[in-house]
């Protein structure tokens, strides 16, 4: 069993991620290959110290910090026929790998994934985690809360057959985000199954500050726009909801400025009202979600009012830019600036 993990500025999370990985109970030998990006918070030194104490851990370099490049380097350096992708910002639950292997064999799938269970430490991160776990936050994809085993368009992280990865060509190194969705698209196009199993669960720790969340979602949205440019209608319709929201907000702001400049005709007033209705409904839904959260502190609820629109608007704005101009060299800078600084 080969676990592969890209790592960049994860000093606060790496030890627990590695421990949860190596604690997995599987039949046969296990290895963990860490692809080390150019961290600035001491992560590389920590990784080397951990690896020095455990011969199951191998290290490879990922100097450009691109996730698909690091994943491919780790896969090429691995030795075993099953690949388990692990995120340094996550923790595998006990029994995850054993269950995934059973599902992989039973369904004869090429890739199996489960539920991303976001969690948080400080109020801000808990607000982000709640948004991740809610259909309101990330649009209701299966791995954010599905309850039935089913064929899926993609898988969170994934437990994959090495033979299939070799056949379809590993991760696309021209993508900096969305590489998992694109890989699973090729897996399915080659005639293999991708399975979502709700019994599999991974704890994910979201970004710890508003600025990092904003940068993450801008970059992610832009790369989704790039994927739309490349693959068109094969992208899910739900990906178009955030850019539609941005369009309505921009239109509402424009009509507001026009209203200030001069009176509207009756038809113009009706049109302005029609534009404002979706924006008003969205604001009501976000406020109702924040108020209804149980259990949650007042600070978490207030953060929710900021977090949900940040995720949607940043992602939607990035998406529009990506469709219009492509992602080009867009990178997710939310983990490039050193040590984590959680908000209160």
């Amino acid at each position: 069993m080969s676990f592969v993990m890209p790592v960049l500025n994860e000093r606060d999370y790496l030890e627990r991620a590695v421990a949860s990985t190596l604690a997995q109970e599987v039949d046969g030998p296990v290895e963990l290959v860490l692809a080390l990006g150019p961290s600035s918070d001491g992560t590389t030194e920590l990784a080397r110290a951990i690896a020095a104490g455990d011969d199951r851990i191998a290290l490879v370099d990922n100097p450009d910090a691109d996730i698909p490049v690091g994943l491919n380097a780790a896969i090429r350096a691995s030795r075993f026929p099953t690949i388990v992708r692990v995120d340094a910002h996550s923790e595998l639950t006990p029994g995850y790998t054993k269950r995934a292997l059973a599902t992989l064999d039973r369904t004869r799938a090429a890739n199996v994934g489960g539920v991303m269970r976001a969690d948080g430490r400080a109020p801000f991160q808990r607000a982000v985690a709640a948004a991740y776990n809610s259909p309101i936050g990330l649009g209701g994809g299966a791995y954010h809360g599905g309850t039935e085993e089913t064929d899926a368009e993609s898988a969170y992280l994934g437990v994959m057959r090495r033979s299939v990865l070799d056949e379809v060509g590993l991760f696309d190194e021209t993508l900096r985000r969305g590489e998992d969705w694109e890989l699973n698209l090729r897996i399915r196009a080659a005639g293999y199954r991708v399975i979502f199993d709700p019994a599999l669960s991974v704890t994910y720790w979201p970004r710890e500050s508003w600025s990092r969340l904003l940068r993450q979602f801008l970059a992610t949205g832009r790369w989704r726009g790039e994927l739309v440019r490349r693959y068109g209608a094969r992208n899910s319709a739900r990906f178009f909801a955030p850019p539609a929201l941005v369009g309505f907000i921009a239109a509402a702001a424009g009509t507001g400025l026009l209203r200030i400049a001069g009176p509207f005709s009756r038809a113009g007033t009706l049109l302005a009202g029609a534009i404002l209705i979706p924006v008003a409904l969205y604001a009501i839904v976000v406020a109702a979600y924040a108020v209804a959260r149980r259990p949650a502190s007042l600070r978490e609820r207030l953060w929710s009012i900021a977090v949900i629109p940040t995720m949607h608007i940043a992602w939607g704005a990035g998406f529009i830019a990506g469709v219009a101009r492509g992602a080009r060299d867009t990178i997710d800078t939310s983990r490039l600036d050193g040590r984590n600084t959680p908000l209160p």
Side-chain angles (χ1 to χ4, degrees):
M1 179 71 58
S2 296
F3 296 91
V4 296
M5 181 191 298
V7 179
L8 177 69
N9 286 330
E10 298 288 5
R11 183 174 179 82
D12 292 343
Y13 296 92
L14 182 61
E15 287 185 279
R16 291 176 62 169
V18 169
S20 76
T21 299
L22 295 178
Q24 296 293 303
E25 296 181 0
V26 296
D27 296 329
V30 167
E31 66 177 349
L32 169 60
V33 185
L34 304 181
L36 300 180
S39 295
S40 58
D41 68 345
T43 294
T44 299
E45 293 77 11
L46 176 61
R48 288 172 177 160
I50 295 173
D54 195 321
D55 59 10
R56 294 173 295 176
I57 301 174
L59 306 178
V60 296
D61 289 329
N62 180 23
D64 292 330
D66 289 341
I67 291 175
V69 174
L71 286 169
N72 286 349
I75 291 169
R76 292 186 182 109
S78 66
R79 297 175 291 155
F80 300 120
T82 304
I83 303 295
V84 184
R85 177 176 173 177
V86 190
D87 188 345
H89 226 58
S90 66
E91 297 170 28
L92 303 183
T93 54
Y96 171 89
T97 306
K98 187 173 184 179
R99 167 76 188 203
L101 288 172
T103 303
L104 200 68
D105 290 340
R106 173 172 51 81
T107 62
R108 298 186 178 181
N111 189 9
V112 171
V115 179
M116 173 199 282
R117 299 286 186 199
D119 201 355
R121 295 168 180 168
F124 176 84
Q125 194 179 42
R126 287 197 293 271
V128 178
Y132 267 79
N133 295 333
S134 168
I136 292 174
L138 293 182
Y143 61 80
H144 293 299
T147 58
E148 296 183 4
E149 182 179 300
T150 183
D151 286 89
E153 67 173 351
S154 189
Y156 175 56
L157 300 181
V159 177
M160 299 165 274
R161 298 185 189 275
R162 171 69 173 270
S163 60
V164 175
L165 292 180
D166 290 339
E167 177 183 335
V168 301
L170 303 186
F171 290 92
D172 185 340
E173 295 185 4
T174 69
L175 298 173
R176 286 194 169 115
R177 304 290 293 183
E179 73 286 339
D180 48 355
W181 180 89
E182 192 276 340
L183 173 64
N184 284 292
L185 179 67
R186 284 185 281 123
I187 288 173
R188 291 185 290 112
Y192 298 102
R193 301 179 73 191
V194 176
I195 296 293
F196 167 74
D197 183 352
L200 302 174
S201 179
V202 179
T203 300
Y204 171 76
W205 301 96
R207 300 300 191 267
E208 307 88 349
S209 71
W210 180 84
S211 64
R212 290 180 181 228
L213 183 72
L214 176 67
R215 284 179 279 160
Q216 176 194 14
F217 274 77
L218 279 170
T220 303
R222 185 141 187 181
W223 279 105
R224 176 54 60 180
E226 173 68 29
L227 289 171
V228 167
R229 286 169 66 97
R230 297 189 190 190
Y231 299 104
R234 282 181 281 183
N235 289 267
S236 172
R238 66 189 175 88
F239 296 133
F240 294 85
L245 172 65
V246 172
F248 276 114
I249 292 173
T255 56
L257 291 174
L258 290 174
R259 188 66 179 268
I260 293 171
F264 278 2
S265 66
R266 179 176 176 79
T269 300
L270 290 174
L271 178 60
I275 292 171
L276 286 171
I277 287 173
V279 178
L281 288 175
Y282 175 79
I284 291 170
V285 168
V286 170
Y289 162 81
V291 170
R293 280 194 57 203
R294 296 286 190 277
S297 67
L298 175 61
R299 188 173 295 177
E300 287 178 52
R301 293 177 192 174
L302 292 174
W303 273 124
S304 292
I305 295 174
V307 160
I308 298 279
T310 295
M311 292 165 61
H312 293 165
I313 295 171
W315 199 98
F319 179 96
I320 292 169
V323 170
R325 302 193 302 274
R328 301 181 184 178
D329 294 326
T330 300
I331 61 173
D332 176 6
T333 62
S334 63
R335 287 187 183 154
L336 295 183
D337 51 357
R339 195 169 181 83
N340 299 319
T341 53
L343 287 173

